[in-house]
Amino acid sequence: MCQCCGMPLEESILSQEPDGTPNVAYCQWCYTGGKFVYETQEALIDLLSHHLAHPQWPPEQVRAHLAQLLPQLDHWRDRGEE
């Protein structure tokens, strides 16, 4: 599971360090080129609430789910964003 967004990780979507070494803790959309893409949980939640929403899972429910999930992930816990 990506320790930034919570996405299940597969080898094909792993992030890489600048030297090309796979980083098994993050997906390629959260960590790229040795840098994290999202500065805050809120920025990530804003993006994902639109991309993950569908009629059976409206944006408000996606936001509530992510607000509970993200603080448990290493990236946000390490940054003190619990």
Side-chain angles (χ1 to χ4, degrees):
M1 174 184 294
C2 175
Q3 292 301 303
C4 183
C5 71
M7 178 185 292
L9 289 175
E10 299 173 3
E11 191 172 331
S12 64
I13 64 166
L14 288 178
S15 64
Q16 293 184 353
E17 296 296 341
D19 67 1
T21 305
N23 184 318
V24 298
Y26 302 104
C27 72
Q28 62 189 355
W29 298 285
C30 289
Y31 182 80
T32 185
K35 296 181 181 178
F36 289 100
V37 175
Y38 307 101
E39 292 293 321
T40 65
Q41 287 182 45
E42 193 61 32
L44 180 56
I45 289 171
D46 286 345
L47 175 80
L48 292 178
S49 65
H50 295 291
H51 287 289
L52 298 178
H54 55 77
Q56 290 76 34
W57 203 27
E60 303 79 30
Q61 285 183 332
V62 175
R63 290 184 78 78
H65 170 75
L66 292 170
Q68 289 183 337
L69 173 67
L70 296 184
Q72 298 175 43
L73 301 176
D74 292 345
H75 174 68
W76 302 109
R77 212 174 31 238
D78 292 347
R79 293 178 67 155
E81 286 200 47
E82 293 185 54

